[in-house]
Amino acid sequence: MFIIIMNLQLDQIKDKLIEHNIRPSYQRIKVLEFLLNHDIHPTIEEIFHELAPDIPSLSKATVYNTLHALVEGGLARVISIDENEKRYEAMLKNHGHFKCENCGCIFNFGIDIDQLIVSDLAQFSVKEKSVYFKGLCPDCIKKQILIIKEGN
Amino acid sequence: MFIIIMNLQLDQIKDKLIEHNIRPSYQRIKVLEFLLNHDIHPTIEEIFHELAPDIPSLSKATVYNTLHALVEGGLARVISIDENEKRYEAMLKNHGHFKCENCGCIFNFGIDIDQLIVSDLAQFSVKEKSVYFKGLCPDCIKKQILIIKEGN
DNA sequence: GTTCCTGCAAAAGCTTTGCAGAAGA
DNA sequence: TCTTCTGCAAAGCTTTTGCAGGAAC
């Protein structure tokens, strides 16, 4: 029973790829599955290490190729909130990204990005909008307060 | 007279560096001057090639070091609107960046970023906000229309 | 059967590092 | 004088490329 459910999920992902004109190889299905089921904005490295046990022959070049294909096909997007690393996520609408400068975690937050209409850009054709914030997450704020208290 | 004005400008830039605890070497003064006087969001490469004629001994490592120092000191910021290249600008407030996907130009646009308050982030400490848009600039829209007309 | 993808290894870029000499405080 | 910066070269990463075999259509 469990296996049937799993197969259904994989079939749905396969269909998504076909809809977007991406040939549904096993590697691509697994990468997209990982993005859809883990909202952790992984790097290429993280995706590779996560999938390598399941696909022993997996090559990092394939992970690069796959993510390019997914981005190209509109199924994933790059998050460049941190200029030193590229992170990826399955395409979702209307959220921004917050990166904690202490722990490095990236959080989604709800924001109506389409509402951001800018008069300066009246003559422009805007196709993609990204909102990136940085600062401290609640956990790290608590930790910093503790450190300050201990320090005194 | 012109020379005096130039020197004054360089002195002002020198003072800016000192205020931010950055030792004002000639290289650093020239890099910051370039950022302040050219609103073109240059890459490291572009800054290097622009300054190399004036400072024949200039090393790219120094340009890297300098920009790290300026960003660290709060005098410059990184623009990661394009995940494949880092661009730099002198620190300015309240504007977003638009990148034309056709010509690659980056435009500033006015936006009151501080007004972007997000209820999901009530528990977070937000220190930096970036807004990046992509699409087509007015010139490229015109060119595309021409291409379509010629195509028919 | 054709086309496209994968995996490997090599190549290409970009960025950092180590160090000796030079410049700034 | 002491500290910090520069410039060079080498090293370290990340990403891309070329190609032979394999998978998808």
Side-chain angles (χ1 to χ4, degrees), chain B residues 108-144:
Chain B
N108 291 345
F109 59 82
I111 185 171
D112 189 357
I113 294 175
D114 291 336
Q115 179 198 291
L116 278 176
I117 293 166
V118 181
S119 56
D120 286 3
L121 298 178
Q123 309 293 315
F124 290 65
S125 159
V126 180
K127 297 185 176 175
E128 198 183 315
K129 299 178 182 180
S130 306
V131 176
Y132 297 139
F133 287 8
K134 289 187 190 177
L136 293 174
C137 71
D139 277 2
C140 288
I141 292 171
K142 281 176 208 157
K143 281 178 204 157
Q144 287 222 338

PDB file of all heavy atoms in Angstrom, chain B residues 108-144:
ATOM      1  N   ASN B 108      18.317  51.153 -10.930  1.00  0.00           N
ATOM      2  CA  ASN B 108      17.756  51.415  -9.605  1.00  0.00           C
ATOM      3  C   ASN B 108      16.313  51.869  -9.773  1.00  0.00           C
ATOM      4  O   ASN B 108      15.982  52.523 -10.746  1.00  0.00           O
ATOM      5  CB  ASN B 108      18.523  52.551  -8.921  1.00  0.00           C
ATOM      6  CG  ASN B 108      19.938  52.159  -8.549  1.00  0.00           C
ATOM      7  OD1 ASN B 108      20.276  50.986  -8.543  1.00  0.00           O
ATOM      8  ND2 ASN B 108      20.750  53.142  -8.242  1.00  0.00           N
ATOM      9  N   PHE B 109      15.485  51.539  -8.819  1.00  0.00           N
ATOM     10  CA  PHE B 109      14.164  52.174  -8.811  1.00  0.00           C
ATOM     11  C   PHE B 109      13.802  52.528  -7.376  1.00  0.00           C
ATOM     12  O   PHE B 109      14.216  51.867  -6.421  1.00  0.00           O
ATOM     13  CB  PHE B 109      13.097  51.292  -9.464  1.00  0.00           C
ATOM     14  CG  PHE B 109      12.898  49.937  -8.854  1.00  0.00           C
ATOM     15  CD1 PHE B 109      12.105  49.784  -7.719  1.00  0.00           C
ATOM     16  CD2 PHE B 109      13.469  48.813  -9.421  1.00  0.00           C
ATOM     17  CE1 PHE B 109      11.901  48.520  -7.165  1.00  0.00           C
ATOM     18  CE2 PHE B 109      13.271  47.550  -8.870  1.00  0.00           C
ATOM     19  CZ  PHE B 109      12.498  47.410  -7.744  1.00  0.00           C
ATOM     20  N   GLY B 110      13.037  53.604  -7.243  1.00  0.00           N
ATOM     21  CA  GLY B 110      12.671  54.074  -5.910  1.00  0.00           C
ATOM     22  C   GLY B 110      11.619  53.161  -5.307  1.00  0.00           C
ATOM     23  O   GLY B 110      10.658  52.778  -5.961  1.00  0.00           O
ATOM     24  N   ILE B 111      11.840  52.765  -4.076  1.00  0.00           N
ATOM     25  CA  ILE B 111      10.836  51.964  -3.374  1.00  0.00           C
ATOM     26  C   ILE B 111      11.093  52.175  -1.894  1.00  0.00           C
ATOM     27  O   ILE B 111      12.238  52.213  -1.456  1.00  0.00           O
ATOM     28  CB  ILE B 111      10.924  50.467  -3.752  1.00  0.00           C
ATOM     29  CG1 ILE B 111       9.794  49.673  -3.108  1.00  0.00           C
ATOM     30  CG2 ILE B 111      12.270  49.869  -3.400  1.00  0.00           C
ATOM     31  CD1 ILE B 111       9.685  48.241  -3.607  1.00  0.00           C
ATOM     32  N   ASP B 112      10.037  52.371  -1.157  1.00  0.00           N
ATOM     33  CA  ASP B 112      10.218  52.609   0.279  1.00  0.00           C
ATOM     34  C   ASP B 112      10.302  51.258   0.974  1.00  0.00           C
ATOM     35  O   ASP B 112       9.307  50.719   1.444  1.00  0.00           O
ATOM     36  CB  ASP B 112       9.063  53.441   0.819  1.00  0.00           C
ATOM     37  CG  ASP B 112       9.352  53.891   2.244  1.00  0.00           C
ATOM     38  OD1 ASP B 112      10.409  53.490   2.786  1.00  0.00           O
ATOM     39  OD2 ASP B 112       8.536  54.613   2.809  1.00  0.00           O
ATOM     40  N   ILE B 113      11.519  50.732   0.998  1.00  0.00           N
ATOM     41  CA  ILE B 113      11.715  49.379   1.503  1.00  0.00           C
ATOM     42  C   ILE B 113      11.358  49.278   2.980  1.00  0.00           C
ATOM     43  O   ILE B 113      10.842  48.264   3.440  1.00  0.00           O
ATOM     44  CB  ILE B 113      13.169  48.925   1.250  1.00  0.00           C
ATOM     45  CG1 ILE B 113      13.410  48.811  -0.263  1.00  0.00           C
ATOM     46  CG2 ILE B 113      13.444  47.584   1.914  1.00  0.00           C
ATOM     47  CD1 ILE B 113      14.817  48.481  -0.652  1.00  0.00           C
ATOM     48  N   ASP B 114      11.607  50.357   3.716  1.00  0.00           N
ATOM     49  CA  ASP B 114      11.318  50.317   5.153  1.00  0.00           C
ATOM     50  C   ASP B 114       9.829  50.148   5.424  1.00  0.00           C
ATOM     51  O   ASP B 114       9.427  49.708   6.498  1.00  0.00           O
ATOM     52  CB  ASP B 114      11.826  51.594   5.823  1.00  0.00           C
ATOM     53  CG  ASP B 114      13.345  51.634   5.844  1.00  0.00           C
ATOM     54  OD1 ASP B 114      13.952  50.544   5.790  1.00  0.00           O
ATOM     55  OD2 ASP B 114      13.916  52.730   5.892  1.00  0.00           O
ATOM     56  N   GLN B 115       9.037  50.495   4.406  1.00  0.00           N
ATOM     57  CA  GLN B 115       7.590  50.372   4.537  1.00  0.00           C
ATOM     58  C   GLN B 115       7.153  48.906   4.445  1.00  0.00           C
ATOM     59  O   GLN B 115       6.051  48.545   4.837  1.00  0.00           O
ATOM     60  CB  GLN B 115       6.973  51.189   3.409  1.00  0.00           C
ATOM     61  CG  GLN B 115       5.479  51.201   3.320  1.00  0.00           C
ATOM     62  CD  GLN B 115       5.081  51.660   1.915  1.00  0.00           C
ATOM     63  OE1 GLN B 115       5.277  52.810   1.559  1.00  0.00           O
ATOM     64  NE2 GLN B 115       4.561  50.738   1.112  1.00  0.00           N
ATOM     65  N   LEU B 116       8.041  48.068   3.928  1.00  0.00           N
ATOM     66  CA  LEU B 116       7.738  46.646   3.788  1.00  0.00           C
ATOM     67  C   LEU B 116       7.802  45.968   5.153  1.00  0.00           C
ATOM     68  O   LEU B 116       8.809  45.408   5.530  1.00  0.00           O
ATOM     69  CB  LEU B 116       8.766  45.967   2.884  1.00  0.00           C
ATOM     70  CG  LEU B 116       8.614  46.058   1.384  1.00  0.00           C
ATOM     71  CD1 LEU B 116       9.797  45.397   0.711  1.00  0.00           C
ATOM     72  CD2 LEU B 116       7.320  45.363   0.968  1.00  0.00           C
ATOM     73  N   ILE B 117       6.708  46.023   5.860  1.00  0.00           N
ATOM     74  CA  ILE B 117       6.677  45.362   7.165  1.00  0.00           C
ATOM     75  C   ILE B 117       5.850  44.101   7.024  1.00  0.00           C
ATOM     76  O   ILE B 117       4.765  44.109   6.444  1.00  0.00           O
ATOM     77  CB  ILE B 117       6.086  46.294   8.239  1.00  0.00           C
ATOM     78  CG1 ILE B 117       7.052  47.463   8.468  1.00  0.00           C
ATOM     79  CG2 ILE B 117       5.849  45.541   9.534  1.00  0.00           C
ATOM     80  CD1 ILE B 117       6.458  48.603   9.234  1.00  0.00           C
ATOM     81  N   VAL B 118       6.392  43.021   7.515  1.00  0.00           N
ATOM     82  CA  VAL B 118       5.787  41.725   7.264  1.00  0.00           C
ATOM     83  C   VAL B 118       5.384  41.101   8.599  1.00  0.00           C
ATOM     84  O   VAL B 118       6.221  40.932   9.480  1.00  0.00           O
ATOM     85  CB  VAL B 118       6.781  40.812   6.522  1.00  0.00           C
ATOM     86  CG1 VAL B 118       6.154  39.477   6.241  1.00  0.00           C
ATOM     87  CG2 VAL B 118       7.247  41.482   5.248  1.00  0.00           C
ATOM     88  N   SER B 119       4.116  40.767   8.712  1.00  0.00           N
ATOM     89  CA  SER B 119       3.617  40.264   9.994  1.00  0.00           C
ATOM     90  C   SER B 119       4.267  38.932  10.366  1.00  0.00           C
ATOM     91  O   SER B 119       4.505  38.665  11.539  1.00  0.00           O
ATOM     92  CB  SER B 119       2.101  40.111   9.936  1.00  0.00           C
ATOM     93  OG  SER B 119       1.764  39.261   8.847  1.00  0.00           O
ATOM     94  N   ASP B 120       4.609  38.109   9.357  1.00  0.00           N
ATOM     95  CA  ASP B 120       5.255  36.822   9.635  1.00  0.00           C
ATOM     96  C   ASP B 120       6.583  37.003  10.359  1.00  0.00           C
ATOM     97  O   ASP B 120       7.100  36.061  10.957  1.00  0.00           O
ATOM     98  CB  ASP B 120       5.552  36.062   8.332  1.00  0.00           C
ATOM     99  CG  ASP B 120       4.288  35.475   7.712  1.00  0.00           C
ATOM    100  OD1 ASP B 120       3.198  35.705   8.269  1.00  0.00           O
ATOM    101  OD2 ASP B 120       4.403  34.795   6.682  1.00  0.00           O
ATOM    102  N   LEU B 121       7.155  38.176  10.273  1.00  0.00           N
ATOM    103  CA  LEU B 121       8.508  38.367  10.802  1.00  0.00           C
ATOM    104  C   LEU B 121       8.506  39.176  12.097  1.00  0.00           C
ATOM    105  O   LEU B 121       9.527  39.736  12.497  1.00  0.00           O
ATOM    106  CB  LEU B 121       9.389  39.062   9.748  1.00  0.00           C
ATOM    107  CG  LEU B 121       9.597  38.279   8.450  1.00  0.00           C
ATOM    108  CD1 LEU B 121      10.437  39.084   7.466  1.00  0.00           C
ATOM    109  CD2 LEU B 121      10.287  36.945   8.721  1.00  0.00           C
ATOM    110  N   ALA B 122       7.364  39.190  12.784  1.00  0.00           N
ATOM    111  CA  ALA B 122       7.259  39.988  14.008  1.00  0.00           C
ATOM    112  C   ALA B 122       8.328  39.591  15.029  1.00  0.00           C
ATOM    113  O   ALA B 122       8.854  40.432  15.748  1.00  0.00           O
ATOM    114  CB  ALA B 122       5.868  39.816  14.609  1.00  0.00           C
ATOM    115  N   GLN B 123       8.674  38.300  15.065  1.00  0.00           N
ATOM    116  CA  GLN B 123       9.640  37.810  16.052  1.00  0.00           C
ATOM    117  C   GLN B 123      11.081  37.916  15.564  1.00  0.00           C
ATOM    118  O   GLN B 123      12.003  37.540  16.282  1.00  0.00           O
ATOM    119  CB  GLN B 123       9.358  36.338  16.382  1.00  0.00           C
ATOM    120  CG  GLN B 123       7.921  36.028  16.749  1.00  0.00           C
ATOM    121  CD  GLN B 123       7.530  36.678  18.056  1.00  0.00           C
ATOM    122  OE1 GLN B 123       8.277  36.620  19.019  1.00  0.00           O
ATOM    123  NE2 GLN B 123       6.377  37.331  18.085  1.00  0.00           N
ATOM    124  N   PHE B 124      11.268  38.374  14.336  1.00  0.00           N
ATOM    125  CA  PHE B 124      12.606  38.424  13.745  1.00  0.00           C
ATOM    126  C   PHE B 124      13.183  39.825  13.877  1.00  0.00           C
ATOM    127  O   PHE B 124      12.449  40.809  13.991  1.00  0.00           O
ATOM    128  CB  PHE B 124      12.544  38.064  12.248  1.00  0.00           C
ATOM    129  CG  PHE B 124      12.229  36.616  11.961  1.00  0.00           C
ATOM    130  CD1 PHE B 124      11.000  36.072  12.318  1.00  0.00           C
ATOM    131  CD2 PHE B 124      13.152  35.807  11.320  1.00  0.00           C
ATOM    132  CE1 PHE B 124      10.704  34.736  12.045  1.00  0.00           C
ATOM    133  CE2 PHE B 124      12.858  34.468  11.046  1.00  0.00           C
ATOM    134  CZ  PHE B 124      11.639  33.941  11.403  1.00  0.00           C
ATOM    135  N   SER B 125      14.495  39.905  13.857  1.00  0.00           N
ATOM    136  CA  SER B 125      15.154  41.200  13.806  1.00  0.00           C
ATOM    137  C   SER B 125      15.680  41.399  12.387  1.00  0.00           C
ATOM    138  O   SER B 125      16.624  40.739  11.969  1.00  0.00           O
ATOM    139  CB  SER B 125      16.307  41.200  14.821  1.00  0.00           C
ATOM    140  OG  SER B 125      17.239  42.198  14.491  1.00  0.00           O
ATOM    141  N   VAL B 126      15.043  42.287  11.652  1.00  0.00           N
ATOM    142  CA  VAL B 126      15.389  42.476  10.239  1.00  0.00           C
ATOM    143  C   VAL B 126      16.407  43.609  10.120  1.00  0.00           C
ATOM    144  O   VAL B 126      16.169  44.717  10.572  1.00  0.00           O
ATOM    145  CB  VAL B 126      14.135  42.799   9.400  1.00  0.00           C
ATOM    146  CG1 VAL B 126      14.515  43.002   7.944  1.00  0.00           C
ATOM    147  CG2 VAL B 126      13.107  41.690   9.536  1.00  0.00           C
ATOM    148  N   LYS B 127      17.553  43.307   9.534  1.00  0.00           N
ATOM    149  CA  LYS B 127      18.620  44.303   9.441  1.00  0.00           C
ATOM    150  C   LYS B 127      18.858  44.783   8.024  1.00  0.00           C
ATOM    151  O   LYS B 127      19.417  45.845   7.821  1.00  0.00           O
ATOM    152  CB  LYS B 127      19.917  43.705   9.997  1.00  0.00           C
ATOM    153  CG  LYS B 127      19.793  43.353  11.472  1.00  0.00           C
ATOM    154  CD  LYS B 127      21.105  42.866  12.053  1.00  0.00           C
ATOM    155  CE  LYS B 127      20.959  42.624  13.558  1.00  0.00           C
ATOM    156  NZ  LYS B 127      22.176  42.033  14.151  1.00  0.00           N
ATOM    157  N   GLU B 128      18.482  43.982   7.049  1.00  0.00           N
ATOM    158  CA  GLU B 128      18.784  44.345   5.667  1.00  0.00           C
ATOM    159  C   GLU B 128      17.654  43.852   4.774  1.00  0.00           C
ATOM    160  O   GLU B 128      17.180  42.730   4.930  1.00  0.00           O
ATOM    161  CB  GLU B 128      20.096  43.667   5.254  1.00  0.00           C
ATOM    162  CG  GLU B 128      20.737  44.282   4.028  1.00  0.00           C
ATOM    163  CD  GLU B 128      22.000  43.521   3.631  1.00  0.00           C
ATOM    164  OE1 GLU B 128      22.807  43.199   4.529  1.00  0.00           O
ATOM    165  OE2 GLU B 128      22.148  43.247   2.439  1.00  0.00           O
ATOM    166  N   LYS B 129      17.228  44.704   3.861  1.00  0.00           N
ATOM    167  CA  LYS B 129      16.140  44.331   2.959  1.00  0.00           C
ATOM    168  C   LYS B 129      16.568  44.570   1.525  1.00  0.00           C
ATOM    169  O   LYS B 129      17.109  45.623   1.203  1.00  0.00           O
ATOM    170  CB  LYS B 129      14.896  45.174   3.254  1.00  0.00           C
ATOM    171  CG  LYS B 129      14.351  45.006   4.673  1.00  0.00           C
ATOM    172  CD  LYS B 129      13.141  45.905   4.895  1.00  0.00           C
ATOM    173  CE  LYS B 129      12.636  45.758   6.324  1.00  0.00           C
ATOM    174  NZ  LYS B 129      11.448  46.621   6.581  1.00  0.00           N
ATOM    175  N   SER B 130      16.342  43.591   0.662  1.00  0.00           N
ATOM    176  CA  SER B 130      16.664  43.741  -0.756  1.00  0.00           C
ATOM    177  C   SER B 130      15.432  43.400  -1.587  1.00  0.00           C
ATOM    178  O   SER B 130      14.738  42.428  -1.285  1.00  0.00           O
ATOM    179  CB  SER B 130      17.791  42.794  -1.162  1.00  0.00           C
ATOM    180  OG  SER B 130      18.917  42.972  -0.327  1.00  0.00           O
ATOM    181  N   VAL B 131      15.218  44.174  -2.619  1.00  0.00           N
ATOM    182  CA  VAL B 131      14.139  43.888  -3.553  1.00  0.00           C
ATOM    183  C   VAL B 131      14.732  43.826  -4.947  1.00  0.00           C
ATOM    184  O   VAL B 131      15.367  44.777  -5.400  1.00  0.00           O
ATOM    185  CB  VAL B 131      13.044  44.975  -3.493  1.00  0.00           C
ATOM    186  CG1 VAL B 131      11.979  44.719  -4.545  1.00  0.00           C
ATOM    187  CG2 VAL B 131      12.420  45.019  -2.113  1.00  0.00           C
ATOM    188  N   TYR B 132      14.575  42.678  -5.599  1.00  0.00           N
ATOM    189  CA  TYR B 132      15.123  42.482  -6.943  1.00  0.00           C
ATOM    190  C   TYR B 132      14.000  42.131  -7.905  1.00  0.00           C
ATOM    191  O   TYR B 132      13.226  41.218  -7.642  1.00  0.00           O
ATOM    192  CB  TYR B 132      16.129  41.315  -6.936  1.00  0.00           C
ATOM    193  CG  TYR B 132      17.354  41.525  -6.082  1.00  0.00           C
ATOM    194  CD1 TYR B 132      17.863  40.489  -5.298  1.00  0.00           C
ATOM    195  CD2 TYR B 132      18.027  42.740  -6.074  1.00  0.00           C
ATOM    196  CE1 TYR B 132      19.010  40.661  -4.534  1.00  0.00           C
ATOM    197  CE2 TYR B 132      19.172  42.925  -5.306  1.00  0.00           C
ATOM    198  CZ  TYR B 132      19.660  41.879  -4.540  1.00  0.00           C
ATOM    199  OH  TYR B 132      20.790  42.052  -3.785  1.00  0.00           O
ATOM    200  N   PHE B 133      13.951  42.846  -8.994  1.00  0.00           N
ATOM    201  CA  PHE B 133      13.003  42.518 -10.059  1.00  0.00           C
ATOM    202  C   PHE B 133      13.784  42.177 -11.314  1.00  0.00           C
ATOM    203  O   PHE B 133      14.883  42.673 -11.526  1.00  0.00           O
ATOM    204  CB  PHE B 133      12.101  43.731 -10.386  1.00  0.00           C
ATOM    205  CG  PHE B 133      11.059  44.051  -9.364  1.00  0.00           C
ATOM    206  CD1 PHE B 133      11.022  43.415  -8.134  1.00  0.00           C
ATOM    207  CD2 PHE B 133      10.100  45.024  -9.628  1.00  0.00           C
ATOM    208  CE1 PHE B 133      10.050  43.727  -7.180  1.00  0.00           C
ATOM    209  CE2 PHE B 133       9.126  45.353  -8.692  1.00  0.00           C
ATOM    210  CZ  PHE B 133       9.100  44.710  -7.466  1.00  0.00           C
ATOM    211  N   LYS B 134      13.181  41.343 -12.150  1.00  0.00           N
ATOM    212  CA  LYS B 134      13.765  41.057 -13.458  1.00  0.00           C
ATOM    213  C   LYS B 134      12.705  41.182 -14.541  1.00  0.00           C
ATOM    214  O   LYS B 134      11.517  41.029 -14.262  1.00  0.00           O
ATOM    215  CB  LYS B 134      14.333  39.626 -13.507  1.00  0.00           C
ATOM    216  CG  LYS B 134      15.578  39.430 -12.680  1.00  0.00           C
ATOM    217  CD  LYS B 134      16.138  38.039 -12.937  1.00  0.00           C
ATOM    218  CE  LYS B 134      17.240  37.706 -11.948  1.00  0.00           C
ATOM    219  NZ  LYS B 134      17.749  36.342 -12.133  1.00  0.00           N
ATOM    220  N   GLY B 135      13.141  41.432 -15.740  1.00  0.00           N
ATOM    221  CA  GLY B 135      12.215  41.526 -16.853  1.00  0.00           C
ATOM    222  C   GLY B 135      12.881  42.213 -18.020  1.00  0.00           C
ATOM    223  O   GLY B 135      14.055  41.950 -18.293  1.00  0.00           O
ATOM    224  N   LEU B 136      12.145  43.069 -18.709  1.00  0.00           N
ATOM    225  CA  LEU B 136      12.701  43.781 -19.867  1.00  0.00           C
ATOM    226  C   LEU B 136      12.644  45.280 -19.624  1.00  0.00           C
ATOM    227  O   LEU B 136      11.645  45.796 -19.118  1.00  0.00           O
ATOM    228  CB  LEU B 136      11.909  43.442 -21.131  1.00  0.00           C
ATOM    229  CG  LEU B 136      12.024  42.004 -21.635  1.00  0.00           C
ATOM    230  CD1 LEU B 136      11.072  41.782 -22.801  1.00  0.00           C
ATOM    231  CD2 LEU B 136      13.460  41.691 -22.064  1.00  0.00           C
ATOM    232  N   CYS B 137      13.715  45.969 -20.002  1.00  0.00           N
ATOM    233  CA  CYS B 137      13.756  47.422 -19.864  1.00  0.00           C
ATOM    234  C   CYS B 137      13.063  48.056 -21.076  1.00  0.00           C
ATOM    235  O   CYS B 137      12.853  47.384 -22.091  1.00  0.00           O
ATOM    236  CB  CYS B 137      15.193  47.905 -19.718  1.00  0.00           C
ATOM    237  SG  CYS B 137      16.165  47.774 -21.224  1.00  0.00           S
ATOM    238  N   PRO B 138      12.704  49.322 -20.985  1.00  0.00           N
ATOM    239  CA  PRO B 138      11.957  49.963 -22.086  1.00  0.00           C
ATOM    240  C   PRO B 138      12.651  49.814 -23.439  1.00  0.00           C
ATOM    241  O   PRO B 138      11.985  49.505 -24.441  1.00  0.00           O
ATOM    242  CB  PRO B 138      11.897  51.426 -21.643  1.00  0.00           C
ATOM    243  CG  PRO B 138      11.952  51.365 -20.157  1.00  0.00           C
ATOM    244  CD  PRO B 138      12.863  50.227 -19.830  1.00  0.00           C
ATOM    245  N   ASP B 139      13.961  50.020 -23.497  1.00  0.00           N
ATOM    246  CA  ASP B 139      14.676  49.906 -24.772  1.00  0.00           C
ATOM    247  C   ASP B 139      14.525  48.518 -25.380  1.00  0.00           C
ATOM    248  O   ASP B 139      14.315  48.370 -26.587  1.00  0.00           O
ATOM    249  CB  ASP B 139      16.170  50.201 -24.574  1.00  0.00           C
ATOM    250  CG  ASP B 139      16.436  51.702 -24.596  1.00  0.00           C
ATOM    251  OD1 ASP B 139      15.457  52.475 -24.716  1.00  0.00           O
ATOM    252  OD2 ASP B 139      17.608  52.092 -24.481  1.00  0.00           O
ATOM    253  N   CYS B 140      14.673  47.501 -24.530  1.00  0.00           N
ATOM    254  CA  CYS B 140      14.599  46.141 -25.057  1.00  0.00           C
ATOM    255  C   CYS B 140      13.174  45.762 -25.442  1.00  0.00           C
ATOM    256  O   CYS B 140      12.973  44.945 -26.351  1.00  0.00           O
ATOM    257  CB  CYS B 140      15.184  45.155 -24.044  1.00  0.00           C
ATOM    258  SG  CYS B 140      16.998  45.318 -23.945  1.00  0.00           S
ATOM    259  N   ILE B 141      12.192  46.328 -24.768  1.00  0.00           N
ATOM    260  CA  ILE B 141      10.798  46.087 -25.175  1.00  0.00           C
ATOM    261  C   ILE B 141      10.597  46.612 -26.600  1.00  0.00           C
ATOM    262  O   ILE B 141      10.053  45.924 -27.467  1.00  0.00           O
ATOM    263  CB  ILE B 141       9.812  46.777 -24.206  1.00  0.00           C
ATOM    264  CG1 ILE B 141       9.862  46.084 -22.829  1.00  0.00           C
ATOM    265  CG2 ILE B 141       8.387  46.734 -24.762  1.00  0.00           C
ATOM    266  CD1 ILE B 141       9.086  46.814 -21.748  1.00  0.00           C
ATOM    267  N   LYS B 142      11.102  47.833 -26.850  1.00  0.00           N
ATOM    268  CA  LYS B 142      10.993  48.419 -28.192  1.00  0.00           C
ATOM    269  C   LYS B 142      11.683  47.541 -29.227  1.00  0.00           C
ATOM    270  O   LYS B 142      11.139  47.278 -30.297  1.00  0.00           O
ATOM    271  CB  LYS B 142      11.624  49.819 -28.213  1.00  0.00           C
ATOM    272  CG  LYS B 142      10.716  50.887 -27.629  1.00  0.00           C
ATOM    273  CD  LYS B 142      11.444  52.228 -27.598  1.00  0.00           C
ATOM    274  CE  LYS B 142      10.919  53.094 -26.465  1.00  0.00           C
ATOM    275  NZ  LYS B 142      11.886  54.108 -26.037  1.00  0.00           N
ATOM    276  N   LYS B 143      12.904  47.085 -28.881  1.00  0.00           N
ATOM    277  CA  LYS B 143      13.655  46.244 -29.821  1.00  0.00           C
ATOM    278  C   LYS B 143      12.899  44.960 -30.122  1.00  0.00           C
ATOM    279  O   LYS B 143      12.849  44.514 -31.262  1.00  0.00           O
ATOM    280  CB  LYS B 143      15.033  45.905 -29.236  1.00  0.00           C
ATOM    281  CG  LYS B 143      16.029  47.039 -29.378  1.00  0.00           C
ATOM    282  CD  LYS B 143      17.358  46.663 -28.740  1.00  0.00           C
ATOM    283  CE  LYS B 143      18.137  47.893 -28.347  1.00  0.00           C
ATOM    284  NZ  LYS B 143      19.116  47.615 -27.278  1.00  0.00           N
ATOM    285  N   GLN B 144      12.302  44.363 -29.087  1.00  0.00           N
ATOM    286  CA  GLN B 144      11.574  43.104 -29.292  1.00  0.00           C
ATOM    287  C   GLN B 144      10.377  43.317 -30.192  1.00  0.00           C
ATOM    288  O   GLN B 144      10.063  42.499 -31.046  1.00  0.00           O
ATOM    289  CB  GLN B 144      11.122  42.553 -27.938  1.00  0.00           C
ATOM    290  CG  GLN B 144      12.275  41.980 -27.148  1.00  0.00           C
ATOM    291  CD  GLN B 144      11.890  40.690 -26.478  1.00  0.00           C
ATOM    292  OE1 GLN B 144      10.719  40.403 -26.253  1.00  0.00           O
ATOM    293  NE2 GLN B 144      12.879  39.878 -26.154  1.00  0.00           N
TER     294      GLN B 144
END
